[in-house]
Structure formats: C-alpha cells, structure tokens
Amino acid sequence: MFGALLALFDSGSALRGPLTLFFLLAAPATAIAAALRGLEPFGRTLAAVAGAVVINMLVAQGMLAVHRWSVHGGIIAVTVISCALLLLSCVTVKPTKR
C-alpha cells in the first residue's frame, strides 16, 4: 500500500519504484490467493502470482487500447480490481472446515 501511495503522490523517494512494483504484484496476488483457499500453499502461491501478472497485463492492455494510459490510472485500476476480488472472495467463499 505504501508503494501505491508513493507513486500516487509523485514522491521523489528512491523506494517509489520497487515498492510500487511490489504493490502491483502483491495486491492482486493477495486477492486471488484469498479466493483459492482450497489449494495447497505452493499451488495457491503460483496461481496467485500468475493471476496478478495477468491482471496487470489486462489493465495495461485495456488502458492502451482506449488511449487512456497513465501511471496513476493503472495503479488505481489495479487497486479497485484487487479490492473487488478480495471483497467477492470474502463474501462468496465459505471458510473450510478442518
């Protein structure tokens, strides 16, 4: 979250780039991993990271296709999609019984 804030406020910090990239991978990966509770940890991690890359690529491709590319818009779009996925997975997925 801190990386997104640094990028949105145009901070001159040297940590802006790495933290923003971490956020762009971690936010969708966390949302996808929450929806995949039934998988084993390695499989869930692999699927979540692959899904995060796909979400980032689809956001970038969609913004480029409509000629509305911007860094701020991309970060906001990924944040909104990640929050929506996390909310949907919390509402629709039942906790597993052990």
Side-chain angles (χ1 to χ4, degrees):
M1 187 69 165
F2 191 65
L5 291 175
L6 285 175
L8 289 175
F9 291 126
D10 289 328
S11 172
S13 173
L15 294 175
R16 181 176 83 176
L19 289 177
T20 302
L21 289 175
F22 177 74
F23 172 78
L24 288 175
L25 278 176
T30 303
I32 293 171
L36 299 175
R37 290 183 185 146
L39 292 178
E40 293 183 15
F42 180 72
R44 182 167 54 177
T45 302
L46 190 64
V49 170
V53 170
V54 168
I55 287 174
N56 285 320
M57 292 297 154
L58 286 174
V59 166
Q61 185 176 8
M63 291 179 77
L64 287 171
V66 296
H67 304 289
R68 296 288 181 202
W69 171 251
S70 72
V71 175
H72 295 104
I75 292 171
I76 292 170
V78 169
T79 304
V80 168
I81 291 170
S82 298
C83 288
L85 283 173
L86 188 62
L87 213 85
L88 283 173
S89 69
C90 289
V91 170
T92 59
V93 176
K94 295 179 182 177
T96 58
K97 293 181 181 178
R98 293 184 185 206

